[in-house]
Amino acid sequence: FRGDQMEAEKYDKIKYNNQYNKEHYARLTFLVPKEEKQEIKDYCAARGVSVNSFVVDLIRRAMAGEI
């Protein structure tokens, strides 16, 4: 029984997160050359940030005239 309950809670959390993201965020897609994808992911990981966070920070800084 406990395993089924945990699965239900996990599903509900995923469903909640997906709904929250849908209501509060917009998706932007950009393309990079395949051979650069892993290098970009590694670069961000080495700095302790996600690719998304890194890109959003760069965009915000550029829009603020910082870079």
Side-chain angles (χ1 to χ4, degrees):
F1 171 73
R2 181 69 181 144
D4 291 341
Q5 184 179 1
M6 289 176 66
E7 278 300 313
E9 289 172 7
K10 181 178 177 182
Y11 173 77
D12 289 344
K13 181 169 175 35
I14 291 170
K15 185 176 178 180
Y16 171 82
N17 287 345
N18 288 342
Q19 186 62 37
Y20 180 89
N21 289 340
K22 184 177 181 180
E23 293 173 4
H24 294 90
Y25 295 96
R27 183 173 297 274
L28 294 174
T29 304
F30 64 97
L31 302 174
V32 297
K34 282 186 175 185
E35 61 274 7
E36 292 179 17
K37 179 182 176 183
Q38 191 59 50
E39 183 179 1
I40 292 167
K41 290 175 75 173
D42 293 344
Y43 180 89
C44 293
R47 283 149 184 81
V49 298
S50 67
V51 173
N52 186 77
S53 294
F54 186 78
V55 171
V56 170
D57 182 58
L58 283 176
I59 292 169
R60 286 180 177 152
R61 289 174 54 208
M63 289 173 60
E66 297 174 13
I67 56 173

